[in-house]
Amino acid sequence: MRTVFWEDNSVKMIDQRRLPNALEILTCQTHAQVAHAITDMAIRGAPAIGVAAAFGLALAARESSARTPDDLLADLRAASTLLLSSRPTAVNLAWAVNKVLRFTFSESETLSTQALRERILSEAQRLADEDVDINQRMARHGADLIADGDTVIHHCNTGALAAVDWGTALGVIRMAHEQGKRVHVLVDETRPRLQGARLTAWELEQYGISYEIISDNMAGHFLKTRQVQKVFFGADRVAANGDVANKIGTYMLSLAAHDNDVPAYAVVPTSTIDLSLATGDLIPIEERDADEVLGLEFHGERVAPVNAKARNPAFDVTPNRLISAIVTDNGIVRPPYHLNLSIILH
Ligand code: MRU
């Protein structure tokens, strides 16, 4: 099943807030509902939110009562502003929205408003189908990095749930498994929202891949004691110099990997590479509600004191010097990233 899809004039998505306890489908009938689903993380993961936003624009086109292509474009631009504000860090969101807007603009001279509505939906559908192809290509490139018998640490959730299907770093692990390699995954639980413990563990069970959940602060121990051969994660945005913004905790994990000469690989579709930003310092970092940190319960009781305050940056930036290679759908990129990323994109 795909994570996000179009059916019965609606955008449907696996509600990731309910996993692993229930597999439920959330139906969105307006672009505002899609924007809310992204903000509230019913759907999450950089490629998945990009495709959801593209489908959101297809909904916006149907919601619009515009009678001319210009009026339709104005309504789409307003819908884009809402969709783009739903989460700031993953560049895939802006990439997908801008693709649909540019496509609509280029067709608006020749098509009727009704034909445009149909073409916007087929463009969103094309992006969804393309995402699956891209992820499979990435998975094949990345699987070459995994040797039979490897134990790897994986951070956050980067699997089918984070994309339309297959995913990024977890797609690589799944491909290596399907190629017959024995892989064991140490799954970072990924505080505060526990995407690893909830979503990655659930996916690995579906694929029959061997795994154990570790709390994030255990990674250094397993790396230092030589129990791990590689580290894999995805990214929400890669700057032109190869700095990688990804789920909070990626930086500490990469530092520990580097200190122990264990390679750390970022796996990203080319749509995640943002050459307009020279370094990772320019990437906007989303700060989410403190309740995601403070709401944790242990044995049925809240952990933090009632009046506690908390900080909650959802992402961090790992400097390029800690990234051994960046796996993309166009191949594996190695340093110097400021040269090789632009080569792979052209
Ligand atoms: O806050 P999330 O769960 O959307 O963060 C997701 C990640 O950080 C993933 O690692 C990233 O999107 C890349 S993998 C598709």
Side-chain angles (χ1 to χ4, degrees):
M1 178 193 288
R2 290 187 170 193
T3 299
V4 54
F5 53 97
W6 180 272
E7 193 178 75
D8 298 335
N9 295 321
S10 315
V11 182
K12 299 200 174 176
M13 55 188 75
I14 295 177
D15 190 339
Q16 300 188 36
R17 297 166 300 191
R18 302 284 295 120
L19 284 170
N21 297 314
L23 180 56
E24 281 179 8
I25 302 296
L26 178 73
T27 300
C28 298
Q29 283 163 332
T30 66
H31 73 278
Q33 287 171 350
V34 173
H36 182 259
I38 295 173
T39 304
D40 206 40
M41 293 176 65
I43 188 162
R44 38 124 329 261
I49 61 177
V51 170
F55 279 132
L57 283 180
L59 283 177
R62 281 157 190 251
E63 290 166 62
S64 163
S65 54
R67 288 163 180 245
T68 65
D70 279 353
D71 288 350
L72 181 62
L73 264 170
D75 286 345
L76 286 178
R77 287 205 181 93
S80 300
T81 305
L82 180 69
L83 288 161
L84 288 174
S85 68
S86 58
R87 290 196 80 187
T89 302
V91 72
N92 308 62
L93 190 57
W95 175 87
V97 164
N98 290 332
K99 252 193 150 165
V100 174
L101 281 183
R102 268 200 307 274
F103 170 84
T104 313
F105 185 72
S106 69
E107 304 271 306
S108 61
E109 299 274 288
T110 49
L111 293 180
S112 68
T113 43
Q114 193 45 37
L116 267 180
R117 288 186 177 93
E118 292 308 320
R119 294 297 294 273
I120 291 165
L121 174 58
S122 44
E123 177 65 0
Q125 190 62 61
R126 194 186 65 74
L127 289 182
D129 295 341
E130 187 184 76
D131 185 70
V132 182
D133 286 352
I134 286 170
N135 293 345
Q136 285 177 330
R137 282 213 302 280
M138 228 162 21
R140 277 190 284 271
H141 290 306
D144 290 345
L145 298 169
I146 296 184
D148 186 32
D150 271 353
T151 293
V152 305
I153 293 183
H154 174 276
H155 195 63
C156 195
N157 171 266
T158 67
L161 291 167
V164 178
D165 200 353
W166 278 86
T168 61
L170 204 60
V172 165
I173 293 167
R174 178 175 161 191
M175 184 63 81
H177 169 76
E178 291 199 0
Q179 290 172 349
K181 294 176 188 164
R182 284 162 302 157
V183 195
H184 182 69
V185 187
L186 293 181
V187 176
D188 266 357
E189 62 178 0
T190 316
R191 281 282 287 141
R193 284 190 68 116
L194 300 163
Q195 288 94 328
R198 295 189 303 111
L199 307 175
T200 300
W202 181 79
E203 281 199 45
L204 288 169
E205 290 210 1
Q206 315 297 309
Y207 311 142
I209 299 175
S210 133
Y211 75 91
E212 291 163 302
I213 296 173
I214 59 173
S215 62
D216 302 349
N217 52 2
M218 295 174 186
H221 165 75
F222 287 111
L223 287 157
K224 188 160 182 298
T225 52
R226 304 257 148 255
Q227 298 183 63
V228 174
Q229 284 71 51
K230 276 130 208 170
V231 167
F232 281 93
F233 42 79
D236 289 77
R237 202 184 293 229
V238 177
N241 69 344
D243 290 349
V244 167
N246 190 48
K247 178 52 54 196
I248 193 75
T250 305
Y251 173 42
M252 279 184 12
L253 175 62
S254 307
L255 273 173
H258 191 257
D259 197 43
N260 290 287
D261 295 320
V262 173
Y265 298 114
V267 185
V268 310
T270 42
S271 53
T272 301
I273 300 168
D274 185 355
L275 293 184
S276 76
L277 300 185
T279 76
D281 296 341
L282 299 167
I283 298 174
I285 299 295
E286 175 183 14
E287 180 109 14
R288 293 186 62 86
D289 199 300
D291 189 52
E292 291 183 350
V293 176
L294 297 173
L296 183 74
E297 293 189 354
F298 190 68
H299 292 167
E301 291 200 53
R302 182 182 153 109
V303 170
V306 184
N307 296 320
K309 293 187 169 48
R311 295 293 305 274
N312 188 13
F315 301 95
D316 58 27
V317 174
T318 300
N320 56 21
R321 68 187 169 80
L322 302 177
I323 308 281
S324 311
I326 300 176
V327 180
T328 77
D329 38 309
N330 288 350
I332 297 179
V333 187
R334 295 196 183 262
Y337 294 119
H338 68 285
L339 292 177
N340 293 339
L341 280 175
S342 50
I343 291 172
I344 205 100
L345 282 183
H346 295 113

